[in-house]
Amino acid sequence: GAVVSQHPSRVICKSGTSVKIECRSLDFQATTMFWYRQFPKQSLMLMATSNEGSKATYEQGVEKDKFLINHASLTLSTLTVTSAHPEDSSFYICSPFPREGYEQYFGPGTRLTVT
Amino acid sequence: DQQVKQNSPSLSVQEGRISILNCDYTNSMFDYFLWYKKYPAEGPTFLISISSIKDKNEDGRFTVFLNKSAKHLSLHIVPSQPGDSAVYFCAAKGEKSSGDKLTFGTGTRLAVRP
């Protein structure tokens, strides 16, 4: 399968600080990037969709000013959680969608803990 | 509104036997279905998929069956192995409904007993 990396894999931050999560597709170009989060024992919930070079589209209930997404290139996207609060603690997973192909692959995820 | 449902949160199977994981959906615009396997603190790993023009797709020990009239799909794993123990998510998408966005089910935790 395709190789997708996420960094960091795990981060602990204090309430009120910002955290940036990077997602890279290592062996393919991703025109579209999906960002998901998963709370314990729940399903993966789509947060936002971004296309390279354009603004992200956010799902209902997701604050665009709090979760900043940058998709500056076909191999890199970042998610910045601004002014993080304990309720933002979750498992964040990126999913780059390849320019060609129909399968969707996922990054290994980032565990964010806000204290 | 849960458009993709996995009604069994957990399943336990003896090694060597068949594991059957079920998934139901409500959106008739879904036309492509995928199964993912997920370990804790890892991203989902793609297993197998099926298009709505088919009713069966097989890949090694994994077979996915699709019953469009019942809006039901299932994943069969045979023979089951201890390494198959994980959470399995079904997912669906439809070009005419949500484009490339995947809608995930709630997951079924499979435990394969040695």
Side-chain angles (χ1 to χ4, degrees), chain A residues 55-70:
Chain A
K55 290 184 179 180
T57 303
Y58 291 80
E59 296 299 303
Q60 192 172 12
V62 179
E63 300 174 56
K64 63 178 182 179
D65 294 329
K66 181 172 185 60
F67 299 98
L68 303 180
I69 291 173
N70 184 291

Side-chain angles (χ1 to χ4, degrees), chain A residues 97 102-104, chain B residues 3-4 24-35 48-57 64-69 71-73 91-103:
Chain A
F97 193 73
Y102 210 69
E103 307 307 344
Q104 192 167 332
Chain B
Q3 296 187 63
V4 180
D24 296 291
Y25 61 97
T26 57
N27 190 336
S28 59
M29 302 303 286
F30 287 145
D31 58 15
Y32 199 77
F33 305 88
L34 306 90
W35 282 94
I48 192 169
S49 62
I50 188 167
S51 163
S52 60
I53 62 173
K54 294 185 174 182
D55 54 19
K56 177 183 176 182
N57 189 24
V64 56
F65 295 91
L66 175 63
N67 183 334
K68 282 182 294 184
S69 61
K71 293 190 177 69
H72 176 84
L73 66 152
K93 62 179 174 180
E95 186 175 353
K96 294 182 181 178
S97 63
S98 54
D100 292 320
K101 294 183 192 178
L102 283 177
T103 300

Side-chain angles (χ1 to χ4, degrees), chain B:
Chain B
D1 176 31
Q2 191 71 33
Q3 296 187 63
V4 180
K5 300 178 184 178
Q6 292 174 256
N7 292 318
S8 297
S10 63
L11 174 68
S12 181
V13 171
Q14 188 75 36
E15 180 179 7
R17 299 290 188 99
I18 185 171
S19 295
I20 300 177
L21 298 101
N22 293 302
C23 180
D24 296 291
Y25 61 97
T26 57
N27 190 336
S28 59
M29 302 303 286
F30 287 145
D31 58 15
Y32 199 77
F33 305 88
L34 306 90
W35 282 94
Y36 287 87
K37 177 180 178 180
K38 187 180 182 300
Y39 294 112
E42 293 185 14
T45 302
F46 170 74
L47 279 176
I48 192 169
S49 62
I50 188 167
S51 163
S52 60
I53 62 173
K54 294 185 174 182
D55 54 19
K56 177 183 176 182
N57 189 24
E58 194 171 351
D59 184 2
R61 296 186 297 115
F62 302 93
T63 303
V64 56
F65 295 91
L66 175 63
N67 183 334
K68 282 182 294 184
S69 61
K71 293 190 177 69
H72 176 84
L73 66 152
S74 61
L75 174 68
H76 292 208
I77 306 173
V78 56
S80 302
Q81 300 173 354
D84 296 329
S85 298
V87 178
Y88 289 78
F89 289 94
C90 67
K93 62 179 174 180
E95 186 175 353
K96 294 182 181 178
S97 63
S98 54
D100 292 320
K101 294 183 192 178
L102 283 177
T103 300
F104 281 88
T106 48
T108 297
R109 182 176 301 279
L110 172 66
V112 180
R113 307 185 304 274

